[in-house]
Amino acid sequence: MFLERLFNQTNSPELEQMVKFTEARHKLLADNIVNIDTPGYQPKDLSLDAFQQMLGNRIQQRQSAAPGTVEFNSVMPDVSDPNGGVLFHDGQKRSLEQLMSDFSKNALMHNTVSEMLRDQYNVLNMAIMERPM
């Protein structure tokens, strides 16, 4: 209980949710790339803006609530159809360049957040072990 409340007061819950979001989005973007030429395939995406809004709301709730009462495990936007892309004669919207750009940005965000989370846990581990930094 004590460690759970300690972790909840750091930015670890936010970083964990960002890792989960980027993992889920990465899978959807990979599916979109693989199926770019599949007739009738509808691309899917997770909205980064919606996720950031939901995460920001949860952070504000945590600031005004008692320690350990606000949980972050349900912060995930619904899967949506992405806007944009070139409309082809078969009615499909696709842009390989946009998909690859989104894929790269998502991978970079995932790697950055993973490093931040690892560093956060290392600092907490050193504090628990009473080691100087």
Side-chain angles (χ1 to χ4, degrees):
M1 179 72 174
F2 171 75
L3 286 178
E4 191 173 304
R5 287 183 59 196
L6 175 67
F7 286 134
N8 197 29
Q9 295 306 308
T10 65
N11 61 357
S12 295
E14 294 95 328
L15 294 174
E16 289 172 3
Q17 288 306 307
M18 289 181 73
V19 167
K20 288 178 184 178
F21 171 79
T22 56
E23 285 176 0
R25 187 166 189 237
H26 202 75
K27 288 177 185 176
L28 290 175
L29 292 172
D31 285 345
N32 291 345
I33 292 169
V34 168
N35 292 303
I36 195 162
D37 289 330
T38 303
Y41 180 78
Q42 293 297 321
K44 300 175 225 58
D45 198 1
L46 292 173
S47 171
L48 180 60
D49 293 334
F51 172 73
Q52 289 174 338
Q53 181 69 32
M54 292 171 76
L55 191 61
N57 291 341
R58 197 62 57 94
I59 291 169
Q60 287 178 347
Q61 288 175 0
R62 182 179 71 176
Q63 289 174 346
S64 61
T69 58
V70 176
E71 303 224 352
F72 285 82
N73 50 357
S74 63
V75 179
M76 187 65 68
D78 293 330
V79 175
S80 62
D81 295 332
N83 297 334
V86 177
L87 185 61
F88 285 80
H89 68 282
D90 61 357
Q92 299 288 83
K93 286 191 221 177
R94 54 186 170 248
S95 169
L96 185 58
E97 293 82 11
Q98 184 63 44
L99 284 172
M100 293 307 293
S101 174
D102 290 345
F103 194 76
S104 297
K105 287 177 189 177
N106 191 66
L108 182 61
M109 183 168 40
H110 178 79
N111 291 342
T112 303
V113 171
S114 296
E115 286 294 317
M116 291 171 66
L117 187 60
R118 184 177 61 93
D119 290 344
Q120 179 77 34
Y121 284 139
N122 284 341
V123 168
L124 287 171
N125 186 34
M126 288 192 311
I128 291 170
M129 303 296 265
E130 298 180 1
R131 291 184 186 159
M133 288 196 208

